[in-house]
Amino acid sequence: MKKEVLKEGFIKLCMAKAMTELYEANFKKVSKYVHATSRGHEAIQIALGLQLLPQDYAFPYYRDDAMLLAFGLKPYDLMLQLLAKKDDPFSGGRSYYSHPSLRDDDKPKIPHQSSATGMQAIPATGVAMGMQYKEQQNLNDDSVENPIVVCSLGDASVTEGEIAEAFQMAALKQMPILYLVQDNGWDISAIAEETRAQNAFEYAQGFHGLDAISIDGANFTESYQALEEVISTIRKERRPILVHARVPLLNHHTSGVRMEWYRDDLEEAKSRDPYPVIKQQLLDSGFSKQELKTMEDSAYKQVESDFEKALKAEDPKPEDLFTHDFVPTPITKEEGTREPEGADRVVMVDCALFAVEELMKAHKECLLYGQDVGGRLGGVFREAATLAQKFGDDRVFNTPIQEAFIVGSTVGMSAVGLKPIVEVQFADYIWPGLNQLFTEVSRSCYLSNGKWPVSMILRVPIGAYGSGGPYHSSSVESVVTNIRGIKIAYPSNGADLKGLMKAAYYDPNPVVILEHKGLYWSKVPGTKTATSIEPAEDYILPFGKAWVLQEIWKQDNVETLTIVAYGMGVHWAYNASGELGMRDQIEIIDLRTLFPLDEETIMKSVKKTGKCLVVTEEPSNNSFARALSGKIQEECFKYLDAPVMVIGSENMPAIPLNSTLEETMIPSTEKVKAKIQVLLDY
């Protein structure tokens, strides 16, 4: 070992140890917000942190404060987060201690990740997948040494199913990632023997292509040398390796779960303390006891000084709450040619297909992946037909059945500058992906204080069509609209879908596009208007701009009505008004996007007509449509001549397979006609 490395490792370990001791000594001052420390884990964390380069990416977990010190952060930086101060460099006081997100030029890059245990494995593996893709497409920076990704985990988290998805993809695709698993033998109060059949080293044996080693993570020299070899291998051979590091937990699980409440192994744990081990290693290398004391005293003084300074730092102001939920989008107005002269009328699914093809031609950063979208099939709805043949298997490819990975990997892909378009095959399959969509994708921009917005598009075929039954017919928009931090489109026709797809690509924020599969080919009676003249390549449609597709004038001598709808509901509304012969009495608003929502257009129309019906395909109880009706009622109360009403599917747990039962379950033109009549007669 080089003496400089040992010295640096010792100083960082003393700092981390001093911080733990200071937090304990000042528990009342620091216990307002929950924190965890690295005490006992310092050696392996510092051994890793000292070896990463600025081009590398790291996903530390909540016990990795020693690793952050090794990256070059100061105790003061970490204490600003400990105390939730305004200048917390990671989150501006929004996230817990040791929940970093960092984009400094001179340090490894740290995208945001949540506290949810093990969740960081998928975004981290997404970064590795992005690095691999950039190398394949010659988009990487050849002026620097090959970058790697590090994903830090506790051993207890390896039991999570999403860890298996990450390991599977890393092993399958041979991605340049190091999984560092710190095993202290505990979950919170549960011990390893209670909760896992094997440790992470043993578990990794089941993933062919994922090599693993097990080391003493409390020994700095052993840890540094083992990691040096592993990191060198990953840089050169571009493949995944897992390092299982055995460490003691010498402090509380968190400040809120005290070790003395349940631990009976504290003396044994203290016998494996990394501090005396590294101290002896320095003495063996020729450092004097006085030199060690000088280094240690200096570290303690800095920690104490930084703490006093952090206590006096400014807290966030109330107005700071309302920043960085989204990055401003450059797409603010409708542009380009919506109906080019001489262009063909095409079905909705082709409008989306052509939009993606145009984007992929123009941007090598654009790629598409999901289940069955590859060249052999091109998507179960042929929504990716011919794309793999045109752009290659590196840019359009199948994933395993891993909705969590499909969604969560976009965090990592976006972090390295790519624009992934991904697909969940049916809305019914989105549930395994919601963990990542909610916890990682939607919150990244806000909790990183604007440093790491996730730029991605998630396509979701949705809705009932042709007896799809309970697993291929669901509407899920009410769940998705309750996830703040994402934008959501739900177009009713091909031209809108193409324009919104383009807007979504150039938007730096995460976008979910709900695409009704019953409109894809206009095979459902009454949906021919979902076909469109294909817009030109330059056509773009901004989010948050509803379309008044059937506009009326203010009339005092007849009853008038506003229908607010989206997706299939637009066609039911349009056909119903036509069959009733009331096109001059019914104004129809196609929302196009559910977030942002064009409230101005809605309220203006309802104030003009005096009555309103919201049409949805979802069961109406507790739905997005019901919430919207309440908003309309609140804003337009004094203008209304009747309650705002909602029509949706019957409030049953699932859409049955039998066609008669399906028809009974969901709305239709006839049902909307009847509801219109009730409202007009009110």
Side-chain angles (χ1 to χ4, degrees):
M1 288 287 294
K2 293 179 180 176
K3 290 185 71 172
E4 307 84 58
V5 173
L6 274 172
K7 179 180 177 181
E8 187 70 12
F10 181 68
I11 291 170
K12 299 300 185 188
L13 192 148
C14 288
M15 278 185 185
K17 179 172 176 285
M19 287 160 61
T20 299
E21 293 170 4
L22 181 141
Y23 298 164
E24 285 298 295
N26 293 271
F27 185 71
K28 288 189 177 179
K29 289 183 179 178
V30 302
S31 61
K32 182 177 181 180
Y33 307 113
V34 174
H35 65 271
T37 71
S38 59
R39 191 70 189 94
H41 293 230
E42 302 100 327
I44 184 68
Q45 292 181 19
I46 295 165
L48 173 70
L50 292 178
Q51 299 189 62
L52 294 191
L53 303 174
Q55 63 265 33
D56 295 330
Y57 281 69
F59 287 73
Y61 84 120
Y62 57 79
R63 199 174 299 285
D64 282 348
D65 58 4
M67 187 186 298
L68 298 175
L69 293 173
F71 287 165
L73 290 151
K74 306 300 182 191
Y76 178 68
D77 298 321
L78 305 186
M79 290 166 180
L80 288 173
Q81 189 172 56
L82 173 80
L83 300 168
K85 296 294 186 177
K86 178 183 176 69
D87 292 332
D88 154 28
F90 306 128
S91 70
R94 293 173 178 178
S95 204
Y96 290 101
Y97 177 71
S98 198
H99 284 60
S101 52
L102 197 67
R103 210 162 188 167
D104 291 358
D105 291 340
D106 63 339
K107 298 180 186 70
K109 307 301 173 280
I110 309 177
H112 162 265
Q113 66 261 277
S114 70
S115 277
T117 308
M119 290 281 286
Q120 69 271 36
I122 285 177
T125 309
V127 168
M129 186 161 73
M131 286 178 177
Q132 184 181 69
Y133 175 80
K134 290 175 77 171
E135 290 166 18
Q136 291 166 342
Q137 299 296 316
N138 295 316
L139 296 172
N140 54 313
D141 183 358
D142 291 329
S143 68
V144 297
E145 194 173 0
N146 277 339
I148 69 166
V149 187
V150 171
C151 177
S152 179
L153 300 156
D155 192 63
S157 71
V158 178
T159 58
E160 287 277 5
E162 293 186 7
I163 300 290
E165 294 193 17
F167 287 3
Q168 178 71 236
M169 281 298 285
L172 176 68
K173 300 289 187 179
Q174 290 295 284
M175 298 175 186
I177 185 167
L178 163 58
Y179 297 106
L180 173 63
V181 180
Q182 300 172 57
D183 184 0
N184 60 34
W186 288 92
D187 290 16
I188 295 179
S189 66
I191 59 174
E193 288 75 16
E194 292 178 77
T195 58
R196 38 202 188 271
Q198 65 280 306
N199 65 35
F201 169 74
E202 294 160 340
Y203 184 55
Q205 310 309 308
F207 295 89
H208 298 294
L210 175 60
D211 285 349
I213 62 171
S214 186
I215 63 172
D216 179 3
N219 185 313
F220 179 77
T221 300
E222 179 181 337
S223 296
Y224 191 95
Q225 292 173 340
L227 287 168
E228 188 173 37
E229 184 175 344
V230 165
I231 289 170
S232 175
T233 300
I234 298 174
R235 289 202 197 281
K236 291 173 185 172
E237 299 180 16
R238 317 307 284 152
R239 61 185 178 87
I241 299 177
L242 182 144
V243 175
H244 172 250
R246 302 178 304 279
V247 292
L249 180 60
L250 300 181
N251 196 235
H252 314 292
H253 168 72
T254 67
S255 57
V257 183
R258 314 289 287 172
M259 57 187 173
E260 57 267 19
W261 294 348
Y262 60 90
R263 297 273 301 271
D264 57 6
D265 69 333
L266 293 174
E267 288 306 314
E268 187 276 334
K270 286 176 185 175
S271 72
R272 297 188 288 129
D273 188 341
Y275 167 68
V277 176
I278 192 172
K279 197 170 184 178
Q280 187 61 48
Q281 288 169 349
L282 265 78
L283 291 171
D284 293 343
S285 295
F287 288 92
S288 69
K289 289 182 179 180
Q290 184 56 48
E291 286 176 306
L292 267 59
K293 185 177 186 306
T294 300
M295 285 185 258
E296 192 162 5
D297 288 348
S298 175
Y300 272 70
K301 283 178 184 175
Q302 181 177 350
V303 167
E304 289 169 2
S305 172
D306 283 3
F307 184 61
E308 291 304 316
K309 184 180 169 188
L311 287 171
K312 297 171 185 173
E314 184 183 1
D315 285 317
K317 293 180 170 61
E319 56 267 27
D320 294 329
L321 174 70
F322 303 101
T323 57
H324 301 304
D325 50 344
F326 292 99
V327 177
T329 177
I331 308 302
T332 57
K333 59 182 181 179
E334 187 173 5
E335 293 181 321
T337 307
R338 184 177 173 98
E339 294 190 355
E341 194 172 326
D344 294 331
R345 179 171 287 274
V346 297
V347 293
M348 188 169 169
V349 71
D350 283 348
C351 276
L353 174 65
F354 299 151
V356 174
E357 182 175 342
E358 289 166 1
L359 289 166
M360 294 189 77
K361 277 182 182 175
H363 306 282
K364 287 190 78 173
E365 297 79 13
C366 180
L367 68 165
L368 171 70
Y369 57 94
Q371 294 166 30
D372 298 305
V373 300
R376 200 171 290 111
L377 183 62
V380 295
F381 300 106
R382 303 295 289 155
E383 72 282 5
T386 74
L387 292 180
Q389 289 84 353
K390 290 175 180 175
F391 298 105
D393 293 336
D394 293 336
R395 294 189 68 187
V396 182
F397 58 88
N398 294 327
T399 66
I401 302 171
Q402 292 185 347
E403 286 80 12
F405 186 88
I406 292 167
V407 174
S409 61
T410 64
V411 176
M413 298 291 267
S414 173
V416 296
L418 302 175
K419 183 75 178 201
I421 301 175
V422 298
E423 179 186 300
V424 169
Q425 202 166 71
F426 291 89
D428 306 74
Y429 302 166
I430 200 172
W431 309 115
L434 283 184
N435 208 7
Q436 291 286 332
L437 185 64
F438 174 79
T439 311
E440 308 300 328
V441 174
S442 72
R443 295 177 165 193
S444 182
C445 186
Y446 186 69
L447 291 181
S448 70
N449 219 19
K451 291 189 296 296
W452 293 102
V454 178
S455 186
M456 58 86 84
I457 301 172
L458 172 60
R459 297 180 64 184
V460 184
I462 192 170
Y465 161 63
S467 296
Y471 308 114
H472 303 84
S473 307
S474 294
S475 293
V476 299
E477 59 265 31
S478 289
V479 173
V480 178
T481 51
N482 263 285
I483 301 175
R484 278 71 176 176
I486 59 175
K487 298 184 178 182
I488 305 154
Y490 199 151
S492 68
N493 61 81
D496 283 359
L497 178 52
K498 184 173 185 182
L500 290 167
M501 185 75 75
K502 293 292 182 75
Y505 184 85
Y506 296 110
D507 196 311
N509 302 288
V511 174
V512 176
I513 302 183
L514 304 173
E515 305 173 19
H516 200 294
K517 58 185 184 292
L519 300 178
Y520 267 159
W521 300 287
S522 291
K523 290 182 178 179
V524 176
T527 60
K528 287 294 182 189
T529 46
T531 64
S532 306
I533 300 293
E534 188 201 346
E537 185 170 349
D538 66 351
Y539 180 64
I540 198 160
L541 183 63
F543 277 56
K545 303 292 183 185
W547 176 33
V548 184
L549 72 89
Q550 185 167 285
E551 189 170 7
I552 64 171
W553 62 98
K554 183 170 176 58
Q555 301 166 66
D556 296 323
N557 57 336
V558 295
E559 294 294 317
T560 55
L561 170 69
T562 296
I563 298 182
V564 179
Y566 55 90
M568 183 66 81
V570 173
H571 300 274
W572 292 325
Y574 183 75
N575 295 334
S577 68
E579 290 181 19
L580 287 169
M582 292 182 174
R583 294 206 190 277
D584 57 352
Q585 291 174 253
I586 297 174
E587 186 153 291
I588 301 175
I589 296 173
D590 181 350
L591 291 179
R592 288 172 163 165
T593 64
L594 308 187
F595 190 87
L597 185 65
D598 188 353
E599 292 185 16
E600 182 182 352
T601 297
I602 297 167
M603 305 309 171
K604 181 181 176 183
S605 175
V606 175
K607 288 174 182 178
K608 174 172 63 178
T609 64
K611 293 182 177 179
C612 180
L613 175 64
V614 182
V615 180
T616 179
E617 188 173 313
E618 279 192 300
S620 58
N621 282 1
N622 307 312
S623 65
F624 165 80
R626 187 73 71 187
L628 177 56
S629 73
K631 178 77 171 175
I632 295 168
Q633 193 122 307
E634 182 180 330
E635 293 281 324
C636 303
F637 184 75
K638 63 183 180 182
Y639 298 91
L640 292 171
D641 297 324
V644 178
M645 295 187 182
V646 177
I647 183 170
S649 290
E650 300 297 333
N651 292 293
M652 303 306 292
I655 297 177
L657 181 65
N658 178 272
S659 58
T660 300
L661 296 177
E662 179 190 61
E663 186 179 325
T664 305
M665 173 91 175
I666 65 174
S668 64
T669 297
E670 289 302 313
K671 292 178 184 178
V672 173
K673 281 165 60 177
K675 196 72 170 181
I676 288 171
Q677 205 62 62
V678 169
L679 192 49
L680 288 175
D681 292 344
Y682 187 88

